Structures are given as structure tokens and as C-alpha cells.
Amino acid sequence: MTDDKPYILVGTNPETIRTLVCEINGNTLPETYVTDGALVHVERVSGSARAASTDADSALPVAAATLTAPRLAGLLAEHTYTYRNQLVKKVWTEEEYTPPPGVLAAVLSRREWPGVRPLRGIVGAPVLREDGTLLQAPGYDRKTGLYLAAKVPMELVPDKPTAEQVAESRGFILDRFLRDFPWVADADRANALALMFTPILRRFARGLTPFGLFTATMPGSGKTILTAATGLVYGQSVLPWTDSEEELRKVITSVFAKQVGAVVFDNIVEGTAIRSAILAQLLTAPTWTDRRLGSSATLEFANDRAWMATGNNLSVGGDMPSRTVLVRLDPKTPKPEERTGFAIPDLSLWILDPANQRTLLWHLLVLVMDWCAAGAPKATGHVMRQFTPWAQTVGGLLAHHGVTGFLGNAEDVHGEDVDDAEWTAFLTKWATMPDLDEWVTTAALRESAKRDLPVDGHRPPDPWDGAFILNEQGRLPDIRNLAARLRGQVGRWHGDYVLRKATDSHDKGARWHVERKA
């Protein structure tokens, strides 16, 4: 028997259930919390290797595991002296006891735990609370329900940094760490810094955060180092990109089971156009809901990650442009890896050292707290649809420290919208074709794109000059597919043109017309 452990006397199965519920609600078991009605236990994870490269997974040192009957039995044995009185040969004796699995399962089946502290997430580095104070004490934080599992333990950041500390931090971030990246424009540097600040500020901003797209003209430009600046200190999961929407959904659901602050689709095949409807949906939803693989059970997660991608000459399409912050790099040399004279030599190795991660994080946090000490002014001019709270918060921080150009390349994001370019060309050509100047059926529209068979080996010219919209296989769509694609663009402007739809009163069929902006 161990005297320093709490004693729990159990009896019959019903008595044991009532007793254990009472003990758990009294927080007898350490590091036990409740998330969405389910008990979880936060524990350190053994054997997790430190990231060996900037494009490697970087897990947090602790994880929250949902309590099961075996886990509960283990916690009772480790942290309590659970016992029962047993009558042996007419003598009552005390024996340590593990309740049967059915009893433990009955305890865990409850959804209401009024005495247990709620766990709303695990973070790998300090974050700014909604009240403007910095969560930086390791462990559970009652104000936010967050658990800080520091990947790089560091000294406390002052609420009001000195002018010398602020100048040192600004100089380190802007003139050392970010100095040698081959930015295309000031906007790219400002956007990269904004995304580095995002895990610190997202809860203070109380809003959704956009997709960070890091693209370069050449390999070796440093885009993965920029994502690692966030991921290595807040925890990152590096994933392969897939064009399959169903596979992407599974990947997203699986990564939510990991305790990380950043998710990076790294080294996407060059020239890829990211146009995923699933990803677009994720970015504009505060929670992610999906079925558990191989089960009918529904899983729901708070969408509290930073989502980023890296690759060469990437573009976006569909609904992604309005959800994307663009960071472009162009070294203007055929061998970027041979550049010299860097403020921080071998930056890809430098960032892997926990001591250097601590330095980088310290300077970022000093800049944040200096901004808070000044009243955390926001930039009212930045409007970014669902992400306006984020844009105005981060924009205010950057402006406070004299960083210009934030979101200044927003039009370039839309310029990279391959879908918009295709539809603009299609509608523009349609508007010039005399046979299609009135309301037309889907069948008539498709017929206009058919070309006659070759005569004497010569194929007649394409009346659409290659602008007709094609299916995913690059072929002329059938009538049903064409109608579906047209319906998805009704009322959506592309350049100076917009598609309109009407329903014929006799045959109830769809009629289409292109309208030009007045």
C-alpha cells in the first residue's frame, strides 16, 4: 500500500460506478480532462524523434488520448490505491482491486462531467489569449482550456518589452532571419511574416485563418524553411498532396487526430493547380466533421491548425483564390543552392536546432507583446471575406512594426486562378459568336463546339479557337456534364462577363446567355 496515493474504496458494481464517477469529477486522476463529453488524459509521448529536416513531421511532446477501460484501469493503478474489502474465512481483509472492464466502460459512457476541466486544445508554444495576455506557463490554462506543451521551453516574455528588446527582435526577424529569401515583392515578405505570427494570434483574432501558399520559380529557394519556422515550434504534420477529393478528406481527418499546430502539403508537383472544394470548405469552417474510417461514428474537430502548401510554380483555382495568402520566391539564378553571403548560413540546418527555434520564437513573441502594450491596434483597411478579423489583426501588428506590403499581392492570387482564366476565355469567346447571342440550350451550345471531319487531310478551324470549356479529361463534355458545369458558374463574373440562366416555360429546359458588364 502507498500512503501518498488517494484511497478509493469500491464495492459492488453499482457502488463502484458511482464511486469512480465521483472521484473523476473530483479530479482525483491527474491530467484528466473532458473534450466534447469524452474523458481524455494528457500524457508525454516516448520515443518521438526530433525533426531531422524542415520537411519532416514535428510532433508535440504530449498527446491527449481518449480514456478507454484499459486506460482507466492503468490510471487507477498508477495514481490511486483502489481497493475493496473482502471476506476471507470470516475475516474482512483489504485488497487492491481493479474494477472489471464492464464497470469501467459504464463509467466512461457518461457525457456529463461537471467537475472535470475542459480541454480545448494542445499548443506547442505560447499563444495570445482573447484578452490580450500571453499564455506561456506550461501545462493547463484555465482561462482558455488550452494545454501548453512547449516544444522549446523558454524564459518568460515580458508583458511590456523594453525599447531595446523590441529593436533587437525587429532587427533579428527582418534583417537576419528573413533578409536573404528571394522575395518577388514586399508583399511576399509581409505575408510570410503574417503566417509566422498566425499560430500566436489566431485565438486573439477570434476568426478563421487563410491558406498559406508558398511557391517559387526554382527548387532550393527556401519555401520549406518558411513553413518550418511555424511548424517546428508549434508542431507540424507534413503531408503529400492528392488530387482525389475523397483521399484528401481522409488525409484531413487523419491529421486532426495529431497534436500539431501546422499542416503542410510539401513539395507539391510543380505546376499543380490547387482547386480542391474539400480544402476550400475546410478553410471556411470553424470545425471539421467526418465519419471515422470504417465506422458510422461521426468525428468533430476544432479547425485550429495553420494550413500551408509549398511547391514550384503552383496556382490556385475554384474557390481557393479568395481563401489564399500568396508568398512568392524567385532567386533569379539557375542554382539557388549556390548562393552565399547569408545573414544566417545554412538556414535549413540552423532552424532544426531547438536553441535557434527558441531564439526565433522569442523575437516573434516580443514583437507581439510590444504591439499588445500599444493597445493591439488593428488595420481597418484589410478586408478578406471570411478572414477579415485575421487580416486586420495581423495587418495591425505588421503596420505597428513598420512592415509594409501585407496582402499587396492579392490580385496576383486571383491572377493565378486557372479556373477563372479558363472561364473568362470561354465567356469572352461566347459573347463574340453571332449564333449564340440569344438564349441557347445546352445542346445547341455543345453543338457549336463540334468540328467537321477532316477533308483531304485538313481539319477545319475550331470556331472556339480552343476556348470551349472542357471536362476533367481535357475533352468536350457531354450535355449533362456541360450543364452541370454551367450551373456552377451562374451569376459568377469572369472578367467583364457573367453567365445567366433561365428556364423555358414550355419544355422546362435550361437556357443560357452571356451578359457583358455595362
Side-chain angles (χ1 to χ4, degrees), residues 20-337:
L20 292 182
V21 168
C22 183
E23 293 290 342
I24 293 172
N25 267 318
N27 293 298
T28 298
L29 298 178
E31 303 288 21
T32 299
Y33 308 93
V34 62
T35 300
D36 293 330
L39 291 175
V40 297
H41 180 251
V42 174
E43 56 191 354
R44 297 196 69 82
V45 179
S46 298
S48 54
R50 198 173 71 194
S53 63
T54 52
D55 59 356
D57 285 352
S58 178
L60 298 187
V62 306
T66 301
L67 279 190
T68 58
R71 285 182 182 275
L72 180 54
L75 290 178
L76 290 171
E78 182 179 0
H79 299 289
T80 75
Y81 181 75
T82 300
Y83 69 100
R84 67 178 178 178
N85 291 321
Q86 188 86 335
L87 186 61
V88 179
K89 295 180 180 181
K90 298 183 180 181
V91 178
W92 287 100
T93 61
E94 177 185 297
E95 68 170 5
E96 192 171 12
Y97 177 67
T98 297
V103 170
L104 299 178
V107 172
L108 297 174
S109 67
R110 294 172 58 92
R111 301 285 292 172
E112 183 181 14
W113 297 97
V116 181
R117 296 170 294 179
L119 180 66
R120 296 189 170 89
I122 298 178
V123 293
V127 297
L128 199 64
R129 300 185 183 97
E130 291 185 3
D131 63 3
T133 59
L134 189 64
L135 190 176
Q136 53 181 331
Y140 184 76
D141 181 62
R142 289 186 176 274
K143 288 185 178 181
T144 61
L146 298 174
Y147 191 103
L148 174 55
K151 290 189 89 265
V152 285
M154 57 191 298
E155 58 185 284
L156 295 180
V157 178
D159 292 337
K160 295 182 178 181
T162 65
E164 292 76 13
Q165 288 174 322
V166 174
E168 180 186 0
S169 294
R170 188 182 292 122
F172 179 85
I173 297 296
L174 299 178
D175 301 329
R176 290 198 65 203
F177 184 76
L178 295 178
R179 191 195 77 175
D180 296 311
F181 288 93
W183 313 108
V184 171
D186 288 344
D188 302 292
R189 185 184 72 152
N191 291 354
L193 185 53
L195 293 166
M196 289 168 60
F197 279 125
T198 292
I200 305 173
L201 298 177
R202 68 175 305 142
R203 289 168 178 84
F204 177 79
R206 306 181 192 182
L208 300 165
T209 57
F211 185 63
L213 182 65
F214 295 77
T215 185
T217 57
M218 293 287 294
S221 301
K223 52 193 179 296
T224 300
I225 299 174
L226 289 170
T227 59
T230 295
L232 291 181
V233 294
Y234 283 91
Q236 72 178 9
S237 183
V238 180
L239 305 173
W241 176 256
T242 173
D243 289 322
S244 166
E245 291 287 82
E246 183 58 30
E247 288 302 314
L248 183 60
R249 176 183 290 278
K250 293 177 183 177
V251 166
I252 290 172
T253 300
S254 67
V255 83
F256 269 116
K258 302 178 182 179
Q259 268 79 42
V260 293
V263 182
V264 184
F265 297 100
D266 189 59
N267 200 24
I268 299 177
V269 175
E270 64 180 5
T272 296
I274 301 174
R275 52 160 62 90
S276 168
I278 292 293
L279 184 56
Q281 173 191 344
L282 166 70
L283 295 168
T284 53
T287 59
W288 173 260
T289 304
D290 196 13
R291 283 193 309 239
R292 187 191 302 273
L293 189 62
S295 169
S296 60
T298 299
L299 301 173
E300 185 175 46
F301 304 95
N303 185 12
D304 56 0
R305 317 293 166 90
W307 298 87
M308 298 178 283
T310 72
N312 297 320
N313 295 313
L314 301 181
S315 58
V316 289
D319 290 327
M320 288 299 297
S322 62
R323 294 160 167 81
T324 299
V325 171
L326 181 64
V327 177
R328 301 164 302 173
L329 302 174
D330 184 0
K332 295 183 172 63
T333 176
K335 295 182 178 180
E337 67 279 3

